[in-house]
Amino acid sequence: MRAAFTICANNYLASAKVLKESFTKHHPAIPFFIVLVDKNDPKVNYDDFNRESILFINDIVDIDINKLSLKFNIAELCTTVKPFIFQYFFKQNSQVVYLDPDIKIYAPLTECWDALQDYTFVITPHLMNAVDDGYKPNDLDVLRTGIFNLGFIGLSKGDELPGFLKWWGERLLVYGYTNWDKGMFYDQIWANYIPVMFNNYHILKHYGYNVANWNWHERLLEKNGNGWLINNKYPLVFFHFSNYKYAEPLFLCKYNNRYSRENRPDLVPIFDEYQSDLTAANAPFITKLSAYYQEQYQNQILKDNAAIPIIKKIKNRLIKYIDAVL
């Protein structure tokens, strides 16, 4: 059996709905689930977001989410729980795919499903051609976030799977932060080890998979009948709208200063269509919701910051006392 899922908080439900509906359109026989790292919000009508496909994190994993939320912000928390959610789905499935909520599917993931017949891991690189032209992001920037983008990963049952999920989960519970100076970038940086620590992997080098701002330099988009083509050759399978903000539709991606709506007119129609999709999914309301576990994290930060002056005073008094005694 096969399954696919995404992970988000309530404020990303509009994006998750667009993803689920686009996935189901091309995979009507494969169930798609939205895992909410959040609490049930009475302001949300979950029936509008396919309630039967929504799973709350505390109902499916055996880890202390509340405790983790004091350590990780909501983005870090949503990626830290990923291995444990995979473990949940593998109780009843032999092939499972994860997709970030800011993705839309435009064609069946045929190459992925085919590869999962033979391989335990199916992963996509951020980019396949170097870029260093004075703009951001370049291949050095991307290197610091990991060779592979884990906005997508396909896994199948095999001898290496339990060990991978156990190792990956253990690392994320400790190191699931994003901190470039310390070489940490969510769950993603650890995928660099897949080709060296494991054997049964497939790197899916398909220009129609995981099209996103970090690889626009090598991928031109054009409409072809009812679908889209990349580089006039590859069918667009899925587009990753990473860093796109519904409230700021004129920016394709703020940290990408190489391309804009002006110098990449080929991208404009797909972004405008996605904006309309989000509006239809009630994004104006949904995106303004608060995330329960993000509030937990922020409250903990405020407590920690409030304690710093007190700790400094105690430290200074101890130093003075030690100096007096000595």
Side-chain angles (χ1 to χ4, degrees), residues 157-197:
K157 280 189 175 179
D159 293 341
E160 295 182 319
L161 181 65
F164 167 71
L165 292 178
K166 181 176 184 296
W167 164 80
W168 192 26
E170 289 173 348
R171 292 298 178 272
L172 295 185
L173 289 176
V174 180
Y175 305 113
Y177 303 99
T178 176
N179 187 321
W180 276 19
D181 292 337
K182 293 184 178 180
M184 299 158 72
F185 197 79
Y186 302 103
D187 64 319
Q188 185 167 279
I189 200 74
W190 299 97
N192 286 356
Y193 278 122
I194 289 176
V196 291
M197 294 178 65

Coordinates of all heavy atoms in Angstrom, one line a residue, residues 157-197:
K157 N 9.6 0.3 2.3 CA 10.1 -0.6 3.2 C 11.3 -1.4 2.7 O 11.3 -1.8 1.5 CB 9.0 -1.6 3.6 CG 8.0 -1.1 4.6 CD 7.0 -2.2 5.1 CE 6.2 -1.6 6.2 NZ 5.2 -2.6 6.7
G158 N 12.3 -1.6 3.5 CA 13.5 -2.4 3.2 C 14.4 -2.5 4.4 O 14.1 -2.0 5.4
D159 N 15.4 -3.3 4.2 CA 16.3 -3.6 5.4 C 16.9 -2.3 6.0 O 17.1 -2.3 7.2 CB 17.5 -4.5 4.9 CG 17.0 -5.9 4.5 OD1 15.8 -6.2 4.9 OD2 17.7 -6.6 3.8
E160 N 17.1 -1.3 5.2 CA 17.8 -0.1 5.7 C 16.8 0.9 6.3 O 17.2 1.9 7.0 CB 18.6 0.6 4.6 CG 19.7 -0.2 4.1 CD 20.5 0.5 3.0 OE1 19.9 1.1 2.1 OE2 21.8 0.4 3.1
L161 N 15.5 0.8 6.1 CA 14.6 1.8 6.5 C 14.5 1.9 8.0 O 14.6 3.1 8.5 CB 13.2 1.5 6.0 CG 12.1 2.5 6.3 CD1 12.4 3.9 5.7 CD2 10.7 2.0 5.9
P162 N 14.3 0.9 8.8 CA 14.2 1.1 10.3 C 15.4 1.8 10.9 O 15.2 2.7 11.7 CB 14.0 -0.4 10.8 CG 13.5 -1.1 9.7 CD 14.2 -0.6 8.5
G163 N 16.6 1.4 10.5 CA 17.8 2.0 11.0 C 17.9 3.5 10.6 O 18.3 4.3 11.5
F164 N 17.5 3.8 9.4 CA 17.5 5.2 9.0 C 16.6 6.0 9.8 O 16.9 7.1 10.3 CB 17.2 5.3 7.5 CG 16.9 6.7 7.0 CD1 17.9 7.6 6.9 CD2 15.6 7.1 6.8 CE1 17.6 8.9 6.5 CE2 15.3 8.4 6.3 CZ 16.3 9.3 6.2
L165 N 15.3 5.6 9.9 CA 14.3 6.4 10.6 C 14.7 6.5 12.1 O 14.5 7.6 12.7 CB 12.9 5.8 10.5 CG 12.3 5.8 9.1 CD1 11.0 5.1 9.1 CD2 12.2 7.2 8.6
K166 N 15.3 5.5 12.7 CA 15.7 5.6 14.1 C 16.9 6.6 14.2 O 16.8 7.5 15.1 CB 16.2 4.2 14.6 CG 16.6 4.2 16.0 CD 16.9 2.8 16.5 CE 17.3 2.7 18.0 NZ 18.5 3.4 18.3
W167 N 17.9 6.5 13.4 CA 19.0 7.4 13.4 C 18.6 8.8 13.2 O 19.0 9.8 13.9 CB 20.1 6.9 12.4 CG 21.1 8.0 12.1 CD1 22.2 8.2 12.8 CD2 21.1 8.8 10.9 NE1 22.9 9.2 12.2 CE2 22.3 9.6 11.0 CE3 20.3 9.0 9.8 CZ2 22.6 10.6 10.1 CZ3 20.6 9.9 8.9 CH2 21.8 10.7 9.0
W168 N 17.8 9.0 12.1 CA 17.3 10.3 11.7 C 16.5 11.0 12.8 O 16.7 12.2 13.2 CB 16.5 10.2 10.4 CG 16.2 11.5 9.7 CD1 16.9 12.6 9.7 CD2 15.0 11.7 8.9 NE1 16.3 13.6 8.9 CE2 15.1 13.0 8.4 CE3 14.0 10.8 8.5 CZ2 14.2 13.5 7.5 CZ3 13.0 11.4 7.6 CH2 13.1 12.7 7.1
G169 N 15.6 10.2 13.4 CA 14.8 10.8 14.5 C 15.6 11.1 15.7 O 15.4 12.2 16.3
E170 N 16.6 10.3 16.1 CA 17.4 10.6 17.2 C 18.2 11.9 17.0 O 18.4 12.7 17.9 CB 18.4 9.4 17.5 CG 17.7 8.2 18.0 CD 18.6 7.0 18.1 OE1 19.7 7.1 17.5 OE2 18.3 6.0 18.8
R171 N 18.7 12.1 15.8 CA 19.5 13.3 15.5 C 18.6 14.5 15.6 O 19.0 15.5 16.1 CB 20.2 13.2 14.1 CG 21.3 12.1 14.0 CD 22.4 12.4 15.0 NE 23.5 11.4 14.9 CZ 23.4 10.3 15.6 NH1 22.4 10.1 16.5 NH2 24.4 9.4 15.5
L172 N 17.4 14.4 15.1 CA 16.6 15.6 15.0 C 16.1 16.0 16.4 O 15.9 17.2 16.7 CB 15.4 15.4 14.1 CG 15.7 15.2 12.6 CD1 14.5 15.1 11.8 CD2 16.6 16.3 12.1
L173 N 15.8 15.1 17.3 CA 15.4 15.4 18.6 C 16.5 16.3 19.3 O 16.1 17.0 20.2 CB 15.1 14.2 19.4 CG 13.9 13.4 19.0 CD1 13.7 12.1 19.8 CD2 12.6 14.2 19.2
V174 N 17.7 16.1 18.9 CA 18.8 16.9 19.5 C 19.2 18.1 18.7 O 19.4 19.2 19.2 CB 20.0 16.0 19.8 CG1 21.2 16.8 20.4 CG2 19.7 14.8 20.7
Y175 N 19.3 17.8 17.4 CA 19.9 18.8 16.4 C 18.9 19.3 15.4 O 19.4 19.7 14.3 CB 21.1 18.2 15.7 CG 22.2 17.6 16.6 CD1 22.4 16.3 16.7 CD2 22.9 18.4 17.4 CE1 23.4 15.7 17.5 CE2 23.9 17.9 18.3 CZ 24.1 16.5 18.3 OH 25.1 16.0 19.1
G176 N 17.7 19.4 15.7 CA 16.7 19.8 14.7 C 16.6 21.3 14.4 O 15.6 21.7 13.8
Y177 N 17.5 22.0 14.9 CA 17.5 23.5 14.7 C 17.9 23.9 13.3 O 18.4 23.1 12.5 CB 18.5 24.1 15.6 CG 18.3 23.8 17.1 CD1 19.1 22.9 17.7 CD2 17.4 24.6 17.8 CE1 18.9 22.6 19.1 CE2 17.2 24.3 19.2 CZ 18.0 23.3 19.8 OH 17.8 23.1 21.1
T178 N 17.7 25.2 13.0 CA 18.4 25.8 11.9 C 19.4 26.8 12.4 O 19.1 27.7 13.2 CB 17.4 26.5 10.9 OG1 18.2 27.1 9.9 CG2 16.6 27.5 11.6
N179 N 20.7 26.5 12.1 CA 21.8 27.4 12.6 C 22.9 27.2 11.6 O 23.7 26.3 11.8 CB 22.2 27.0 14.0 CG 23.2 28.0 14.6 OD1 24.1 28.5 13.9 ND2 23.0 28.3 15.9
W180 N 23.0 28.1 10.7 CA 24.1 27.9 9.6 C 25.5 27.9 10.2 O 26.3 27.2 9.8 CB 24.0 29.1 8.6 CG 22.9 28.8 7.6 CD1 21.9 27.9 7.6 CD2 22.9 29.5 6.3 NE1 21.2 27.9 6.5 CE2 21.7 28.9 5.6 CE3 23.6 30.4 5.7 CZ2 21.4 29.3 4.3 CZ3 23.2 30.8 4.4 CH2 22.1 30.3 3.7
D181 N 25.7 28.7 11.3 CA 27.1 28.8 11.8 C 27.5 27.5 12.4 O 28.7 27.2 12.5 CB 27.1 29.9 12.9 CG 27.0 31.3 12.3 OD1 27.3 31.5 11.1 OD2 26.5 32.2 13.0
K182 N 26.5 26.7 12.9 CA 26.8 25.4 13.5 C 26.5 24.3 12.5 O 26.6 23.1 12.9 CB 26.0 25.2 14.7 CG 26.4 26.1 15.9 CD 25.6 25.8 17.1 CE 26.0 26.7 18.3 NZ 25.3 26.4 19.5
G183 N 26.2 24.6 11.2 CA 26.0 23.6 10.2 C 24.7 22.8 10.4 O 24.6 21.7 10.0
M184 N 23.7 23.5 11.0 CA 22.4 22.8 11.2 C 21.4 23.4 10.4 O 21.2 24.7 10.3 CB 22.1 22.9 12.7 CG 23.1 22.3 13.6 SD 23.1 22.9 15.4 CE 21.5 22.2 15.9
F185 N 20.6 22.6 9.7 CA 19.5 23.1 8.9 C 18.3 22.1 8.9 O 18.2 21.3 8.1 CB 19.9 23.4 7.5 CG 19.0 24.3 6.7 CD1 19.0 25.6 6.9 CD2 18.1 23.7 5.8 CE1 18.1 26.5 6.2 CE2 17.2 24.5 5.1 CZ 17.2 25.9 5.3
Y186 N 17.5 22.3 9.9 CA 16.3 21.5 10.1 C 16.6 20.0 10.0 O 17.6 19.5 10.4 CB 15.2 21.9 9.1 CG 14.8 23.3 9.1 CD1 15.3 24.3 8.2 CD2 13.9 23.8 10.1 CE1 14.9 25.6 8.3 CE2 13.6 25.1 10.2 CZ 14.0 26.0 9.3 OH 13.7 27.4 9.4
D187 N 15.7 19.2 9.4 CA 15.9 17.8 9.2 C 16.7 17.5 7.9 O 17.2 16.4 7.7 CB 14.5 17.1 9.0 CG 13.8 17.6 7.7 OD1 13.8 18.8 7.5 OD2 13.2 16.7 7.0
Q188 N 16.9 18.6 7.1 CA 17.4 18.4 5.7 C 18.9 18.1 5.6 O 19.3 17.3 4.8 CB 17.1 19.7 5.0 CG 17.4 19.7 3.5 CD 16.7 20.9 2.8 OE1 15.5 20.8 2.5 NE2 17.5 21.9 2.6
I189 N 19.7 18.7 6.5 CA 21.1 18.6 6.4 C 21.6 17.1 6.5 O 22.6 16.7 6.0 CB 21.8 19.5 7.4 CG1 23.3 19.8 7.0 CG2 21.7 19.0 8.8 CD1 23.4 20.8 5.8
W190 N 20.8 16.4 7.3 CA 21.2 15.0 7.6 C 21.0 14.1 6.3 O 21.6 13.0 6.3 CB 20.3 14.4 8.7 CG 20.5 15.2 10.0 CD1 19.8 16.3 10.4 CD2 21.7 15.1 10.8 NE1 20.4 16.8 11.5 CE2 21.5 16.1 11.8 CE3 22.8 14.3 10.9 CZ2 22.4 16.3 12.9 CZ3 23.7 14.5 11.9 CH2 23.5 15.5 12.9
A191 N 20.2 14.5 5.4 CA 20.1 13.7 4.1 C 21.4 13.6 3.3 O 21.5 12.8 2.5 CB 19.0 14.3 3.2
N192 N 22.4 14.5 3.6 CA 23.7 14.4 3.0 C 24.3 13.1 3.2 O 25.1 12.6 2.4 CB 24.6 15.5 3.5 CG 24.3 16.9 3.0 OD1 23.4 17.1 2.2 ND2 25.0 17.9 3.5
Y193 N 24.0 12.4 4.3 CA 24.6 11.1 4.7 C 23.9 9.9 4.0 O 24.5 8.9 4.0 CB 24.5 10.9 6.2 CG 25.5 11.6 7.0 CD1 25.2 12.5 8.0 CD2 26.9 11.3 6.8 CE1 26.2 13.1 8.8 CE2 27.9 11.9 7.5 CZ 27.5 12.8 8.5 OH 28.5 13.5 9.3
I194 N 22.8 10.1 3.4 CA 22.1 9.0 2.8 C 23.0 8.2 1.7 O 23.1 7.0 1.8 CB 20.8 9.4 2.1 CG1 19.7 9.8 3.2 CG2 20.2 8.3 1.2 CD1 18.4 10.3 2.7
P195 N 23.6 8.9 0.8 CA 24.4 8.2 -0.2 C 25.7 7.5 0.4 O 26.3 6.7 -0.3 CB 24.8 9.3 -1.2 CG 23.9 10.4 -1.0 CD 23.6 10.4 0.5
V196 N 26.1 7.9 1.6 CA 27.3 7.3 2.2 C 27.0 6.3 3.3 O 27.8 5.3 3.5 CB 28.3 8.4 2.6 CG1 28.9 9.1 1.4 CG2 27.7 9.3 3.6
M197 N 25.9 6.5 4.0 CA 25.6 5.6 5.1 C 24.7 4.5 4.7 O 24.5 3.5 5.5 CB 25.0 6.4 6.3 CG 26.0 7.4 6.9 SD 25.3 8.4 8.3 CE 24.9 7.2 9.5

